[in-house]
Amino acid sequence: MGYTKAFVTILLVILAASANAQLDKLSKDEATKLVLENNFGILIAKNQVAVAENNKSVLNSGFLPTLTANAGADYNRDDSVIEFPGQFNDDGSPREDLEINQAESQRYNAGLNLNYTLFDGLGRYYDYKALKEQYQLSELQARETIETTIVQMFSVYYEVARITENIEVLEETYQNTSERLQRAEYAFDYGQNNKLDVLNAEVDLVNDSISLMNERQLLENTKRDLNVVLNRELENNFSVDTTITFVEPLLLDDIMENAEANNVRLLQAESNMTINDYSLKSAKSVFLPTIGLNGSYGWNLNQSAASAFFPGVNNTTYSFGLGASLTWDLFDGGRGVTQIKNAKILLDSQDLLQEQLKQEVRRDIANAKGNYINRLNIYRLQENNVITATNNYERSNERYKLGQITSVELRQAQINLLNAKTSKNLAKYNAKLAELQLLQLTGQLLNTEL
């Protein structure tokens, strides 16, 4: 008797040491907010959208003129000797050499040049429209990243919830086995049964405690997984909301009606089609001329040193010019025509890919809807199975107390109840994850209360 009590006490201490304390609850809304603010993948996707937004600016369009400034300065200092061979002074003496030392000259210039393309065959017009469409595409790509990350986050969040509910079931199972062990001990002490019932209860209690300890360790590991997705401290402890609600059938019908129109992959395919169409139109600009304007303003100052024959001068010049140019590549060797042909082929390929994608998305949506309905039905069946297993266990427990069944039969009823409850938990969260996948495919994940 003393050994068994000590045995039970040790198990209770081990289980109590790892039991969850009163923890702050991480709600689904808070988890969604944290993942949107902190997740690395989402932050990178937002940066890519910011880059695309910069690219679609008029500053990157080619519609604005270019203005360049230039300036320069030169400085020279010369020492020279000028000889006059064969020349004589008035008195008949040879003419002396002329030395000019430290003769300085400077040149300064500054100017502005303005160039503006009036017309380039509509190339930059369609390139600019393509940049705007590229920005829309980057937003769709960021949306896909956000949706995928949210589904990933909730798959881990609901796994934490499932394990939490499983721990509650295991704790209840452990408590029932512990009570059974105490009853078996009392009955053995008073000679109402043999030692076998006590030993069976002790073995079952050890198995229940091991299952509970393993599940609690799994819960800690899964919480760390969720903290990674949320980009929080790994050891940040919390509890989660185990309440699950499903989309109303009428709302689900409305979602399915517009599924293809809101699917993010199809929207991206349409955006790519538009970009390729703009690229084709831009390529055709090779057949049209380019017209440009240019203007210039300049200032020059030339300070020359005095020489043997001329005095030093300062020469200042101001210049202003306007011009226009027309460039037309009448024949470029066929490169432009080849580019246009290739652009048409790429556009046709994109159209084929879009049709293929539509088929795949229709299939994925149909499969997701079927999976969701199937898993939801399984969950309903598992709920009924828990009721049946509960009734079976309660009746078996009463019959065991009356001595009508053995401890082995009671244990089987207990295991059946344990399996029924954990299977119900699994079915519930599987159904919810199937719903999330369906909402993602129909483009309504970010518009639905989860």
Side-chain angles (χ1 to χ4, degrees):
M1 178 70 175
Y3 168 77
T4 303
K5 287 184 177 178
F7 171 77
V8 175
T9 302
I10 292 173
L11 286 177
L12 289 174
V13 169
I14 294 175
L15 295 174
S18 59
N20 286 330
Q22 188 66 30
L23 302 173
D24 293 334
K25 179 171 288 188
L26 177 65
S27 67
K28 291 188 281 287
D29 289 341
E30 184 180 359
T32 302
K33 179 182 177 182
L34 287 173
V35 78
L36 291 175
E37 293 177 350
N38 301 332
N39 182 266
F40 289 117
I42 291 179
L43 294 177
I44 292 173
K46 290 180 178 178
N47 285 341
Q48 291 172 342
V49 173
V51 170
E53 185 176 12
N54 291 336
N55 288 338
K56 77 178 183 68
S57 168
V58 68
L59 298 176
N60 192 45
S61 65
F63 280 103
L64 299 180
T66 61
L67 179 64
T68 58
N70 57 78
D74 293 310
Y75 171 80
N76 291 294
R77 194 185 74 171
D78 301 320
D79 296 328
S80 58
V81 176
I82 303 173
E83 297 178 353
F84 304 94
Q87 297 186 30
F88 299 92
N89 295 322
D90 293 339
D91 60 1
S93 62
R95 185 174 179 179
E96 297 83 0
D97 296 341
L98 177 64
E99 294 186 7
I100 302 178
N101 297 320
Q102 298 182 355
E104 296 180 344
S105 64
Q106 297 92 23
R107 294 184 179 89
Y108 303 97
N109 65 84
L112 293 174
N113 293 287
L114 178 70
N115 291 280
Y116 182 65
T117 302
L118 286 176
F119 181 74
D120 69 342
L122 298 177
R124 64 180 175 178
Y125 171 76
Y126 289 112
D127 288 341
Y128 185 43
K129 292 177 75 67
L131 289 173
K132 288 185 174 181
E133 190 63 34
Q134 186 66 47
Y135 170 71
Q136 300 296 327
L137 177 60
S138 68
E139 285 192 319
L140 291 172
Q141 292 169 340
R143 173 186 150 188
E144 183 179 19
T145 299
I146 291 172
E147 290 178 349
T148 301
T149 305
I150 287 178
V151 171
Q152 177 191 7
M153 183 274 292
F154 271 112
S155 67
V156 184
Y157 184 95
Y158 288 136
E159 181 65 7
V160 173
R162 184 186 70 84
I163 296 172
T164 300
E165 291 195 313
N166 282 354
I167 288 176
E168 294 174 358
V169 175
L170 290 169
E171 287 175 343
E172 182 183 355
T173 302
Y174 175 87
Q175 184 62 35
N176 290 336
T177 305
S178 178
E179 293 174 358
R180 193 183 104 209
L181 174 59
Q182 291 179 355
R183 288 197 306 268
E185 288 178 335
Y186 291 144
F188 176 73
D189 290 342
Y190 290 100
Q192 296 178 358
N193 61 6
N194 55 33
K195 186 66 174 178
L196 182 60
D197 283 347
V198 176
L199 295 175
N200 285 337
E202 288 180 352
V203 171
D204 293 339
L205 189 63
V206 170
N207 290 331
D208 290 345
S209 63
I210 292 174
S211 297
L212 188 53
M213 292 168 67
N214 287 336
E215 201 72 6
R216 282 176 173 158
Q217 182 60 50
L218 180 60
L219 178 62
E220 292 181 8
N221 296 344
T222 310
K223 285 183 178 180
R224 292 189 187 98
D225 292 338
L226 184 57
N227 283 331
V228 169
V229 177
L230 300 179
N231 191 18
R232 302 200 303 175
E233 290 294 331
L234 288 180
E235 301 305 326
N236 194 342
N237 206 356
F238 55 90
S239 62
V240 296
D241 185 4
T242 58
T243 304
I244 293 294
T245 57
F246 295 99
V247 176
E248 294 293 333
L250 291 178
L251 179 59
L252 184 61
D253 291 338
D254 293 338
I255 290 174
M256 294 301 299
E257 287 182 4
N258 300 310
E260 292 186 30
N262 295 320
N263 181 271
V264 68
R265 294 177 62 196
L266 290 180
L267 292 175
Q268 288 182 46
E270 292 176 4
S271 184
N272 278 320
M273 278 289 295
T274 303
I275 292 173
N276 287 341
D277 182 58
Y278 288 147
S279 297
L280 173 60
K281 293 177 179 177
S282 176
K284 292 180 179 179
S285 65
V286 70
F287 295 131
L288 297 176
T290 298
I291 301 174
L293 294 177
N294 59 80
S296 64
Y297 176 79
W299 168 80
N300 288 273
L301 172 62
N302 186 5
Q303 296 177 336
S304 61
S307 66
F309 305 101
F310 299 99
V313 296
N314 292 341
N315 183 17
T316 303
T317 304
Y318 299 93
S319 62
F320 177 77
L322 287 176
S325 63
L326 184 147
T327 303
W328 197 340
D329 290 333
L330 298 178
F331 182 69
D332 63 353
R335 289 189 299 270
V337 174
T338 302
Q339 290 177 357
I340 293 173
K341 289 181 178 179
N342 290 338
K344 289 180 178 179
I345 294 173
L346 291 175
L347 185 62
D348 182 62
S349 296
Q350 187 65 40
D351 184 57
L352 294 174
L353 290 173
Q354 186 176 16
E355 291 301 318
Q356 179 185 5
L357 183 61
K358 285 181 179 179
Q359 286 289 87
E360 294 175 353
V361 168
R362 292 188 187 109
R363 176 205 61 196
D364 293 343
I365 292 175
N367 290 345
K369 181 181 180 182
N371 290 338
Y372 172 59
I373 294 174
N374 183 62
R375 291 184 180 182
L376 197 57
N377 290 333
I378 291 175
Y379 170 56
R380 303 305 182 196
L381 290 175
Q382 292 290 1
E383 284 184 318
N384 294 331
N385 193 35
V386 168
I387 296 174
T388 302
T390 301
N391 292 334
N392 179 55
Y393 174 73
E394 291 175 350
R395 292 182 181 183
S396 297
N397 196 27
E398 293 298 325
R399 294 181 64 190
Y400 173 73
K401 292 177 181 178
L402 297 175
Q404 297 177 353
I405 62 173
T406 65
S407 60
V408 175
E409 292 173 305
L410 176 62
R411 179 62 175 177
Q412 186 60 51
Q414 186 183 33
I415 291 176
N416 290 340
L417 177 59
L418 171 64
N419 291 337
K421 288 185 175 180
T422 54
S423 295
K424 185 204 74 171
N425 292 339
L426 178 61
K428 177 172 70 172
Y429 293 110
N430 279 344
K432 186 60 181 179
L433 290 176
E435 180 187 88
L436 294 181
Q437 291 168 357
L438 179 60
L439 291 174
Q440 181 184 12
L441 286 169
T442 56
Q444 296 299 324
L445 182 66
L446 303 180
N447 302 324
T448 306
E449 182 67 31
L450 304 176

